[in-house]
């Protein structure tokens, strides 16, 4: 009986220590949360600006923060900055300084208040754009008078896959195993169909807060895979908004202990890949008679199919197989309501005789500056020889 009492007392003491530790942890985390969510505008006019740029791989997002004396809403009024390009595969160690040029501002959903996210592109100290600076050439195309007059609209459907940290296996999938076959997951509801909805919803709201023109979200065909849509956005802003939305998604998955993948075919075999379909229209396409303009634009895209495929993302050949709602990478095709074609035209566009079309070829890891400007260049500026 005494041993039983002693054992009970020991268990009670152990539980009390655990309870105390848990309460202490909660208090510490609560204090940390309070500090993270400080509203600086209550005590200072200074703000934090998070400078964001694309690293040497063309898909890696980098960022660092600096303090500014007060709120800023115009990128031209932000100071240029520099970083160590040798650590991002963008400069040699003996001449490593790379210059950040602020180009677009969004509200910071993490620090809130007057704090901002700043999309930048990258230059040498002499003012030359780096080879990885895809925004520079895109801006030249979008500033061309013929392109600007057509007011090009884009709606980008960015697909991505959520992975379990450390094992690179989709969220919700059994470790080393596979879920049930595809079918119930697309726009699916329920704990056995939708994996990571809290992350997706947090991202949706954070993008709206930031001022990104995010227009929707949905679960994709492969379990653990999701999509968000940005647009309609005009010209260069489509690229700025996609990069800002990707940055926010990376930050939210970081907080959640989950990895986001933009690989176009994260799981080999009988599973859907991940794309970044580009919906596109011009002023002429949106007006009466626009369907004929659309068909001429599609003809041009077909003639430059190889050039577009080469610029539409790494590893896209693993995705564009002619299966899983894709066209064969080597064959250009288009059709009305056909998700197995290179270019899809919607039923409403056909019926109304005007509207937009969807380029289904870009991979999920494409550079939005490259894809959007190339579509504009081919359909508006390029002349058939």
């Amino acid at each position: 009986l005494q041993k039983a009492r002693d054992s009970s007392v020991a268990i009670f003491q152990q539980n009390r220590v655990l309870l105390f530790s848990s309460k202490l942890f909660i208090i510490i985390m609560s204090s940390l949360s309070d500090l993270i969510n400080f509203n600086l505008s209550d005590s200072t006019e200074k703000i934090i600006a998070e400078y964001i740029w694309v690293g040497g791989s063309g898909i890696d997002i980098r960022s660092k923060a600096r303090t500014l004396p007060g709120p800023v809403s115009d990128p031209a009024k932000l100071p240029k900055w520099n970083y160590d390009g040798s650590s991002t595969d963008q400069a040699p160690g003996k001449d490593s300084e790379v210059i950040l040029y602020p180009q677009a501002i969004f509200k910071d959903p993490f620090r809130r208040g007057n704090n901002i996210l700043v999309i930048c592109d990258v230059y040498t100290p002499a003012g030359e754009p780096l080879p990885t600076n895809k925004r520079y050439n895109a801006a030249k195309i979008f500033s061309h008078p013929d392109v600007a007059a057509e007011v090009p609209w884009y709606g980008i459907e960015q697909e991505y896959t959520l992975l379990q940290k450390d094992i690179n296996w989709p969220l919700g999938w059994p470790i080393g195993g596979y879920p049930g076959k595809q079918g119930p997951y697309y726009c699916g509801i329920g704990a056995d169909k939708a994996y990571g909805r809290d992350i997706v919803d947090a991202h949706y709201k954070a993008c709206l807060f930031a001022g990104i023109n995010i227009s929707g979200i949905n679960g994709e065909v492969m379990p653990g895979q999701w999509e968000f849509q940005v647009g309609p956005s005009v010209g260069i802003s489509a690229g700025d908004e996609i990069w800002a939305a990707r940055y926010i998604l990376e930050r939210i998955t970081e907080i959640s202990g989950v990895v986001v993948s933009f690989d176009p075919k994260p799981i080999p075999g009988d599973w859907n890949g991940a794309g970044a379909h580009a919906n596109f229209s011009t002023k002429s396409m949106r007006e009466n008679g626009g369907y004929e303009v659309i068909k001429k634009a599609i003809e041009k895209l077909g003639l430059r199919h190889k050039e577009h495929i080469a610029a539409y993302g790494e590893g896209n050949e693993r995705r564009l197989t002619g299966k899983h709602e894709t066209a064969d990478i080597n064959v250009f095709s288009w059709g009305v309501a056909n998700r197995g074609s290179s270019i899809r035209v919607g039923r409403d566009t056909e019926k109304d005789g005007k509207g937009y079309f969807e380029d289904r070829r870009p991979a999920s890891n494409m550079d939005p500056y490259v894809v959007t400007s190339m579509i504009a260049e081919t359909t508006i500026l390029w002349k058939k020889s």
Side-chain angles (χ1 to χ4, degrees):
L1 184 61
Q2 185 60 43
K3 284 182 179 180
R5 286 195 187 114
D6 292 345
S7 178
S8 297
V9 169
I11 291 171
F12 174 75
Q13 293 290 355
Q14 186 180 23
N15 287 340
R16 213 167 81 172
V17 169
L18 287 172
L19 182 63
F20 174 77
S21 299
S22 298
K23 285 182 176 178
L24 183 61
F25 177 76
I26 291 169
I27 290 169
I28 291 170
M29 291 306 294
S30 177
S31 299
L32 182 59
S33 178
D34 289 342
L35 286 169
I36 291 171
N37 294 317
F38 255 149
N39 186 350
L40 293 177
S41 58
D42 291 340
S43 56
T44 179
E45 290 185 359
K46 293 181 179 179
I47 68 159
I48 301 172
E50 190 77 25
Y51 279 47
I52 301 164
W53 70 96
V54 181
S57 74
I59 191 65
D60 57 316
I61 303 173
R62 310 287 180 131
S63 77
K64 62 176 185 173
R66 67 180 297 167
T67 305
L68 299 176
V72 182
S73 57
D74 181 359
K77 295 181 179 178
L78 287 167
K80 295 174 184 176
W81 206 9
N82 65 73
Y83 67 93
D84 172 18
S86 68
S87 296
T88 62
D89 289 330
Q90 291 173 296
K94 61 182 181 182
D95 187 16
S96 65
E97 191 167 286
V98 175
I99 312 302
L100 293 166
Y101 284 34
Q103 300 291 359
I105 292 175
F106 298 91
K107 292 167 64 180
D108 188 338
F110 303 101
R111 296 187 176 106
R112 304 183 190 179
N114 293 320
N115 303 300
I116 55 175
L117 306 177
V118 183
I119 298 296
C120 306
D121 57 357
V122 292
Y123 297 79
T124 67
E128 295 296 321
L130 266 62
T132 53
N133 181 354
K134 306 303 182 184
R135 192 185 192 280
Y136 178 79
N137 285 329
K140 287 201 296 184
I141 291 170
F142 285 121
S143 64
H144 190 287
D146 293 347
V147 176
E150 283 291 352
V151 195
W153 287 3
Y154 296 90
I156 308 296
E157 304 172 32
Q158 175 69 71
E159 295 176 349
Y160 59 94
T161 308
L162 297 175
L163 303 177
Q164 301 172 57
K165 190 180 177 184
D166 300 326
I167 62 172
N168 286 326
W169 203 238
L171 198 66
W173 290 34
I175 296 174
Y178 297 87
K181 65 179 183 179
Q182 295 182 155
Y185 309 106
Y186 173 70
C187 298
I189 310 297
D192 59 341
K193 303 178 193 72
Y195 309 123
R197 189 183 295 278
D198 52 347
I199 292 170
V200 175
D201 253 6
H203 175 253
Y204 194 179
K205 293 177 181 177
C207 285
L208 286 171
F209 177 91
I212 294 168
N213 193 23
I214 187 168
S215 49
I217 59 169
N218 61 266
E220 265 306 326
V221 177
M222 190 182 84
Q225 200 170 78
W226 294 82
E227 174 188 298
F228 65 87
Q229 302 94 32
V230 169
S233 304
V234 179
I236 197 74
S237 64
D240 292 336
E241 292 185 3
I242 284 290
W243 278 118
R246 284 176 174 177
Y247 169 82
I248 291 171
L249 182 58
E250 290 268 18
R251 286 287 308 276
I252 289 173
T253 52
E254 173 191 318
I255 293 166
S256 304
V258 172
V259 175
V260 60
S261 170
F262 294 106
D263 190 283
K265 189 72 174 181
I267 304 296
D270 195 21
W271 303 96
N272 273 38
H277 306 154
N279 298 277
F280 173 73
S281 72
T282 62
K283 185 173 181 288
S284 298
M285 294 175 190
R286 296 187 293 269
E287 294 175 344
N288 290 336
Y291 195 34
E292 292 304 313
V293 180
I294 287 172
K295 287 192 285 187
K296 289 177 183 177
I298 292 173
E299 181 187 1
K300 286 184 175 182
L301 289 169
L303 293 172
R304 298 192 74 200
H305 178 62
K306 288 183 179 179
E307 292 91 330
H308 279 256
I309 287 296
Y312 273 17
E314 294 295 322
N316 211 8
E317 71 283 351
R318 293 183 281 116
R319 167 180 161 261
L320 295 180
T321 61
K323 300 178 180 179
H324 307 107
E325 300 181 288
T326 69
D328 186 296
I329 194 169
N330 297 307
V331 180
F332 181 84
S333 61
W334 77 277
V336 177
N338 184 359
R339 283 182 162 75
S341 61
S342 307
I343 306 292
R344 181 186 70 87
V345 174
R347 290 285 182 201
D348 285 345
T349 296
E350 181 188 42
K351 182 182 70 175
D352 297 340
K354 59 183 177 181
Y356 70 96
F357 65 82
E358 175 192 32
D359 190 339
R360 297 180 58 80
R361 297 171 296 173
S364 52
N365 59 5
M366 62 86 180
D367 188 311
Y369 295 132
V370 173
V371 169
T372 56
S373 62
M374 196 171 191
I375 291 173
E377 181 185 34
T378 295
T379 60
I380 300 172
L381 300 178
W382 186 70
K383 307 296 182 184
K384 292 183 294 182
S385 60

